[in-house]
Amino acid sequence: MTPLDNQQQEARDWFEALRTRICDEFEAIEREAGSDAKFEFIPWERTDEDGTPGGGGVRGQMIGTVFEKVGVNVSTVGGSFSEEFARQIPGAEEDPSFFATGISLVAHMANPHVPAVHMNTRFLTTTRRWFGGGADLNPAIPYQEDTDAFHARLRAACAAHDPTFYPRFSKWAEEYFWLPHRKRARGVGGIFYDRLEGHFEEHFAFTRDVGEAFLDIYPKIVRARMDMPFTDADIETLLQFRGRYVEFNLLYDRGTLFGLKTGGNIDAILMSLPPLAKWS
Amino acid sequence: MTPLDNQQQEARDWFEALRTRICDEFEAIEREAGSDAKFEFIPWERTDEDGTPGGGGVRGQMIGTVFEKVGVNVSTVGGSFSEEFARQIPGAEEDPSFFATGISLVAHMANPHVPAVHMNTRFLTTTRRWFGGGADLNPAIPYQEDTDAFHARLRAACAAHDPTFYPRFSKWAEEYFWLPHRKRARGVGGIFYDRLEGHFEEHFAFTRDVGEAFLDIYPKIVRARMDMPFTDADIETLLQFRGRYVEFNLLYDRGTLFGLKTGGNIDAILMSLPPLAKWS
């Protein structure tokens, strides 16, 4: 992999620092629940199809009492897209070189009243360079106040940058996190964005604010719900709900399919799958 | 749907009679285990995209003590393929009319020593007409003697019809039931065949023999293993193994993807998913 330029290095440093802050916060929540669960961090390396080293990442996973299973991955990879993929990626049609750095997080929670969550932000460069990402909330048992709080915090992060961001990106999330075969959404939405290009400083600042918004609001929602009592019927609801989450990720999620079908790190890609799921 | 011709009616009658015999046998196994579990049969109807009635089927499901979850579906459908699909289906390029009748079975077993199984046979007609199907064994804890017995019985069914069938169809199963992202097979194989056309009587006889072979061998394997003691670790192995089964069906299985993306009966299609699965 070629040495990182300043923008790539800055983005990578931010994603890795955010990872550390998020993991610290999640471990703090575990301690508040009387658990000493910690993240385990497992580095992995990537090679191009021809065997050239192509970067890698660190897969972080914690099995806790509040967080039944949570994965927080960072990766910084680069190399050359295969011809087939180069045609599908903006700016790679002529020159298949690419670089990507990002953070990706999925949390499946033990208490059915605490929503699962997904957050992912990334910086890509080909002959073009852009940011993308998003976050969405996935409650098995939805509470309107959690949905409202999650959206309000993302709306605020968006509003500080561009008045069109929240309306566009929350609609994009609605369309993206949709299970056509069940004609229903996978959760209660959030934001999804991609191809933010042309203004590195501004779009990097926005991407940082998405991370900050997530780190601000999600732990609040977890702490407010994690001690709620639940029943066997609630667990049943949770396990069935997770079945829909599995269906989305394996049938429709572009990141999952792209990763699996191009020889990505399986464990890192599939960390998004729940610890236990049910189909009746 | 247009009235069935003799071949279509004969095939449908056979698939439905086989369904009944299989369900009776599986219920008998439940009784031997002291359970009074029975199949529940739920009819469903299909309509073409324009609302025209297009046949339907009966979804059979039993939640038992030996059979943790087993689905045995029959369906007989007909109508007009969408333009996009017509291009992909032999004989439908000029005339998009189609008819299909078949049986489809997936059993997920409570005891980790008893293998899960899949069996499916079908008769399709467009301007051409052909049989297809297969069966494969999916043990979380494999026993060579079960694998050998399953294959031997299918080999015998094949050998009665064509010496090339077993070598070709068992290799086809190896290739089909493969998880590229994990570089491993989903189970221990069986047979897979498609596009057997041009000799209705002979191919129908072979398809019947595949059904007979399944009904002969699988209950024997179940009865030999269903009382084996198992540990928590065996259950863990079973649940992780089922995760791979979910991955195969949602990522790669053509029938599942075809059904889901063309508005088939979701419950009938997804009956193949296990009652409970785990990703560590």
Side-chain angles (χ1 to χ4, degrees):
Chain A
M1 203 170 90
T2 49
L4 276 55
D5 64 30
N6 286 347
Q7 292 184 350
Q8 292 168 340
Q9 187 67 49
E10 261 190 87
R12 182 181 104 153
D13 290 348
W14 158 259
F15 292 130
E16 294 190 354
L18 179 64
R19 179 268 322 267
T20 303
R21 292 166 60 204
I22 289 173
C23 292
D24 286 351
E25 183 69 10
F26 287 1
E27 288 179 355
I29 292 174
E30 284 291 326
R31 283 195 301 276
E32 291 161 29
S35 142
D36 59 358
K38 293 268 180 195
F39 274 88
E40 185 185 6
F41 294 101
I42 300 164
W44 56 273
E45 294 189 352
R46 183 186 164 280
T47 48
D48 252 350
E49 276 173 19
D50 63 3
T52 321
V58 177
R59 181 164 73 89
Q61 182 170 293
M62 179 168 70
I63 305 293
T65 58
V66 180
F67 292 84
E68 187 173 338
K69 177 185 169 191
V70 52
V72 187
N73 298 338
V74 289
S75 66
T76 299
V77 299
S80 203
F81 281 127
S82 71
E83 242 182 82
E84 192 196 336
F85 278 101
R87 277 195 294 272
Q88 301 173 24
I89 308 288
E93 303 87 352
E94 302 286 304
D95 175 355
S97 305
F98 78 97
F99 166 89
T101 183
I103 180 171
S104 171
L105 176 159
V106 174
H108 293 286
M109 311 303 284
N111 187 318
H113 298 291
V114 183
V117 77
H118 149 261
M119 191 275 291
N120 160 241
T121 51
R122 58 193 173 274
F123 176 55
L124 274 95
T125 69
T126 56
T127 59
R128 307 169 76 153
R129 23 187 78 208
W130 69 93
F131 285 94
D136 75 308
L137 200 67
N138 294 276
I141 300 170
Y143 290 93
Q144 192 60 47
E145 60 188 284
D146 293 353
T147 302
D148 291 347
F150 190 74
H151 277 269
R153 189 60 188 80
L154 290 170
R155 189 186 298 112
C158 289
H161 296 272
D162 188 318
T164 72
F165 277 4
Y166 178 76
R168 280 164 57 203
F169 299 161
S170 62
K171 183 156 184 293
W172 200 341
E174 258 176 52
E175 290 162 2
Y176 185 78
F177 299 110
W178 180 254
L179 285 88
H181 65 288
R182 294 197 181 268
K183 297 184 180 64
R184 64 191 236 190
R186 96 165 173 185
V188 297
I191 60 169
F192 186 98
Y193 67 103
D194 207 1
R195 304 289 310 281
L196 270 190
E197 65 176 315
H199 302 278
F200 176 84
E201 287 305 336
E202 171 54 24
H203 295 150
F204 184 27
F206 170 65
T207 290
R208 291 198 303 272
D209 280 354
V210 170
E212 297 289 356
F214 171 82
L215 182 51
D216 179 37
I217 189 64
Y218 185 64
K220 283 183 185 149
I221 294 173
V222 174
R223 286 188 170 99
R225 300 258 168 240
M226 63 195 237
D227 296 322
M228 283 180 73
F230 56 86
T231 65
D232 286 352
D234 295 332
I235 289 285
E236 181 70 22
T237 300
L238 174 67
L239 296 181
Q240 297 281 350
F241 179 82
R242 285 179 180 170
R244 311 298 85 76
Y245 196 92
V246 172
E247 289 172 20
F248 181 85
N249 279 36
L250 297 182
L251 287 169
Y252 304 110
D253 186 60
R254 288 190 296 226
T256 303
L257 299 179
F258 182 95
L260 288 181
K261 292 183 178 182
T262 54
N265 182 274
I266 296 174
D267 295 323
I269 297 163
L270 294 185
M271 67 96 184
S272 64
L273 298 180
L276 200 62
K278 201 163 177 175
W279 286 268
S280 62
Chain B
M1 203 169 89
T2 49
L4 276 56
D5 63 32
N6 285 347
Q7 292 184 350
Q8 292 167 341
Q9 187 68 49
E10 262 190 86
R12 184 181 103 152
D13 290 348
W14 158 258
F15 293 130
E16 294 189 354
L18 179 64
R19 180 270 321 270
T20 302
R21 291 166 62 205
I22 289 173
C23 291
D24 286 351
E25 183 69 11
F26 287 1
E27 289 179 354
I29 291 175
E30 285 291 326
R31 283 195 301 276
E32 291 161 31
S35 142
D36 59 358
K38 293 268 181 196
F39 274 87
E40 186 186 5
F41 295 101
I42 301 163
W44 57 272
E45 293 189 352
R46 182 185 165 279
T47 48
D48 252 350
E49 276 173 18
D50 64 2
T52 321
V58 177
R59 182 165 73 87
Q61 181 170 294
M62 178 169 69
I63 305 294
T65 59
V66 180
F67 292 84
E68 188 174 336
K69 177 184 168 192
V70 53
V72 187
N73 298 337
V74 289
S75 66
T76 298
V77 299
S80 203
F81 281 128
S82 70
E83 242 182 82
E84 191 197 336
F85 278 100
R87 276 194 295 272
Q88 302 171 25
I89 307 288
E93 304 86 351
E94 302 286 304
D95 175 357
S97 305
F98 78 97
F99 167 89
T101 182
I103 179 171
S104 172
L105 176 160
V106 174
H108 293 285
M109 310 303 284
N111 187 317
H113 298 292
V114 183
V117 78
H118 149 261
M119 190 275 289
N120 161 242
T121 51
R122 59 194 172 272
F123 176 56
L124 274 96
T125 69
T126 57
T127 59
R128 307 168 77 152
R129 23 187 78 208
W130 68 94
F131 285 94
D136 75 308
L137 200 67
N138 293 277
I141 300 170
Y143 291 93
Q144 191 60 47
E145 59 189 285
D146 293 352
T147 303
D148 292 347
F150 190 75
H151 277 269
R153 188 61 188 81
L154 290 170
R155 189 187 298 112
C158 289
H161 295 272
D162 187 318
T164 72
F165 277 4
Y166 178 76
R168 280 164 57 202
F169 299 161
S170 62
K171 183 156 183 294
W172 201 343
E174 258 177 50
E175 290 161 1
Y176 184 79
F177 298 112
W178 180 254
L179 285 87
H181 65 286
R182 295 197 179 268
K183 298 184 179 64
R184 64 190 235 190
R186 98 165 172 183
V188 297
I191 61 169
F192 186 98
Y193 67 103
D194 207 0
R195 303 289 311 278
L196 271 190
E197 65 176 314
H199 302 278
F200 176 83
E201 287 304 336
E202 170 54 24
H203 296 151
F204 183 28
F206 170 64
T207 290
R208 291 198 303 272
D209 280 354
V210 170
E212 297 289 356
F214 171 82
L215 182 53
D216 179 37
I217 189 62
Y218 185 64
K220 284 182 185 149
I221 294 173
V222 174
R223 287 186 169 100
R225 301 257 168 240
M226 64 195 236
D227 296 322
M228 282 178 75
F230 56 86
T231 64
D232 286 352
D234 295 333
I235 288 286
E236 180 70 22
T237 300
L238 174 68
L239 296 181
Q240 296 281 350
F241 179 81
R242 286 179 178 170
R244 310 299 84 76
Y245 196 91
V246 172
E247 290 171 20
F248 180 84
N249 279 35
L250 297 182
L251 287 169
Y252 304 111
D253 187 60
R254 289 190 295 226
T256 304
L257 299 179
F258 183 94
L260 288 181
K261 293 181 178 182
T262 54
N265 181 275
I266 296 175
D267 295 323
I269 298 162
L270 294 185
M271 68 96 182
S272 64
L273 297 180
L276 200 62
K278 201 162 178 176
W279 286 267
S280 61

